[in-house]
Amino acid sequence: MRYIVSLLTICLCLIWNQPLSAASAKANIKGTAEVSGISGVASFEDTTQGLHISVEIHGAPEGIHGFHIHEFGDTSNSGKAAGGHYNPDQHDHGDVVKDGFETAHAGDLGNIEIDADGNGKLHLTVPHLFVTGNAYSVAGRAVILHEKPDDFGQPTGNAGSRIGAGTIVITGN
Ligand code: CU
Ligand code: ZN
């Protein structure tokens, strides 16, 4: 009996340690200008709380910069080919973490602050979003770093041109 209980415990632990959906993705961010020192990585991982997004930027101008998920993965034409903010439900622009999924574009990640050395970090968990295989999937889209702050005005936050961009690609299922 004791043996069976131990065996069951081991089996259950193995099952519980496997998240049902733990896909991961990443975007290698590069400057959109021909000569640009901007680089970075955005990592995405499904968690039970939502999509965990971890961003690191280097070589960017000091200050506050809008940072969003845009609809398409094509980062050509200075990032313009990525289209508008990822907005599957036709909401107004906002901040998806602070305002909630129902009152912002799904891709409205807010701002990233770049320090005097050109570095910045952002860590967010966005409920309702997934890496892949869902109506609200981010794989195959793009992250965009903007020239100016997102002031959360309509329709897209007045964040100016697209100085950095990266396509979100699946890295694990
Ligand atoms: Cu944007
Ligand atoms: Zn938006």
Side-chain angles (χ1 to χ4, degrees), residues 68-70 84-87 91-95 104-109 150 153-157:
H68 312 123
I69 298 169
H70 284 239
H85 297 178
Y86 175 43
N87 182 22
H91 293 149
D92 284 343
H93 177 67
D95 180 318
H105 301 149
D108 290 346
L109 305 184
D150 183 334
Q154 300 305 328
T156 57

Side-chain angles (χ1 to χ4, degrees), residues 88-109:
D89 294 333
Q90 313 308 315
H91 293 149
D92 284 343
H93 177 67
D95 180 318
V96 73
V97 174
K98 290 184 184 134
D99 301 334
F101 188 73
E102 300 297 329
T103 45
H105 301 149
D108 290 346
L109 305 184

Side-chain angles (χ1 to χ4, degrees), residues 10-162:
I10 290 165
C11 289
L12 285 174
C13 284
L14 285 174
I15 291 163
W16 279 327
N17 284 332
Q18 292 283 312
L20 290 175
S21 159
S24 57
K26 85 174 179 183
N28 283 315
I29 298 164
K30 290 193 186 103
T32 56
E34 218 161 285
V35 180
S36 165
I38 296 174
S39 66
V41 182
S43 305
F44 301 82
E45 197 175 9
D46 287 332
T47 73
T48 49
Q49 282 79 41
L51 183 67
H52 184 71
I53 305 172
S54 199
V55 186
E56 235 182 77
I57 303 277
H58 305 285
E62 183 180 4
I64 310 288
H65 299 268
F67 191 80
H68 312 123
I69 298 169
H70 284 239
E71 189 172 10
F72 309 121
D74 185 350
T75 59
S76 65
N77 192 18
S78 304
K80 293 192 193 87
H85 297 178
Y86 175 43
N87 182 22
D89 294 333
Q90 313 308 315
H91 293 149
D92 284 343
H93 177 67
D95 180 318
V96 73
V97 174
K98 290 184 184 134
D99 301 334
F101 188 73
E102 300 297 329
T103 45
H105 301 149
D108 290 346
L109 305 184
N111 286 296
I112 185 161
E113 186 172 357
I114 305 294
D115 67 19
D117 297 323
N119 304 316
K121 280 183 182 176
L122 186 67
H123 296 281
L124 299 170
T125 301
V126 185
H128 304 285
L129 291 185
F130 292 85
V131 168
T132 186
N134 183 280
Y136 302 109
S137 299
V138 302
R141 307 188 189 284
V143 287
I144 297 285
L145 178 71
H146 285 272
E147 171 199 11
K148 296 191 284 186
D150 183 334
D151 67 2
F152 305 107
Q154 300 305 328
T156 57
N158 305 302
S161 69
R162 305 174 180 195

